[in-house]
């Protein structure tokens, strides 16, 4: 949200959205096209009217947001489970994750999709470490239950 909402408000201004009001009112007479361009996620009717540079910038920012949303359930689940056996290690891994997400965001937004690789590799590391810690946690708990 930190990246995509400002991008929405920058590109889908009320002046820009006016061009869609007539068509929007045909289908939804009670309202006009929304400022911010919702529900367009970078590949819809509104985005098609952006110039190429703005379209790429908007899509890069939306991709950063979507990548975070896609990874969040796995990160939260593994953080919770791994912390049962390794609370300190889990905190350190989560810190690595936060720094990697920040690097990924800055590289993707400032320098484009080709520059995201450093953050992407660094962002994958915490997921693998947390998954491994979760597996070890389950093995430890299974061993305690067998005793």
């Amino acid at each position: 949200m930190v990246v995509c909402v400002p991008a929405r408000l920058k590109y889908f201004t009320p002046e820009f959205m006016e061009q869609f009001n007539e068509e929007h009112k045909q289908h939804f007479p009670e309202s006009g096209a929304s400022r911010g361009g919702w529900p367009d996620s970078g590949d819809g009717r509104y985005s098609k009217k952006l110039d190429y540079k703005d379209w790429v910038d908007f899509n890069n920012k939306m991709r950063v947001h979507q990548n975070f949303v896609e990874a969040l359930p796995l990160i939260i689940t593994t953080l919770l489970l791994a912390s049962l056996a390794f609370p300190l290690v889990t905190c350190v891994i989560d810190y690595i994750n936060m720094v990697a997400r920040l690097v990924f965001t800055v590289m993707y937004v400032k320098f484009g999709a080709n520059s995201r690789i450093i953050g992407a590799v660094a962002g994958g590391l915490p997921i693998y470490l947390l998954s491994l810690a979760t597996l070890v946690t389950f093995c430890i708990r299974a061993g305690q239950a067998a005793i």
Side-chain angles (χ1 to χ4, degrees), residues 42-72:
D43 57 356
R45 291 179 184 261
Y46 304 147
S47 295
K48 289 179 183 176
K49 300 284 185 166
L50 292 171
D51 65 41
Y52 185 75
K53 183 181 178 308
D54 293 344
W55 178 82
V56 168
D57 184 55
F58 179 71
N59 274 277
N60 282 344
K61 291 174 181 173
M62 287 301 297
R63 187 63 209 134
V64 165
H65 172 73
Q66 191 60 36
N67 182 275
F68 181 78
V69 169
E70 290 167 356
L72 196 57

Side-chain angles (χ1 to χ4, degrees), residues 67-146:
N67 182 275
F68 181 78
V69 169
E70 290 167 356
L72 196 57
L74 180 61
I75 291 288
I76 289 174
T77 303
T78 54
L79 272 171
L80 290 171
L81 295 174
S83 68
L84 294 173
F86 306 106
L88 184 59
V89 172
T90 304
C91 286
V92 171
I93 294 172
D94 191 36
Y95 179 76
I96 294 169
N97 179 58
M98 290 186 302
V99 171
R101 287 280 163 196
L102 183 62
V103 169
F104 178 80
T105 300
V106 169
M107 296 301 287
Y108 210 133
V109 169
K110 294 287 184 192
F111 304 109
N114 292 334
S115 299
R116 72 187 189 274
I117 193 70
I118 295 168
V121 170
L125 179 64
I127 292 174
Y128 295 129
L129 291 173
L130 287 170
S131 297
L132 180 63
T134 301
L135 179 64
V136 172
T137 300
F138 281 132
C139 291
I140 290 170
R141 297 291 175 171
Q144 289 174 349

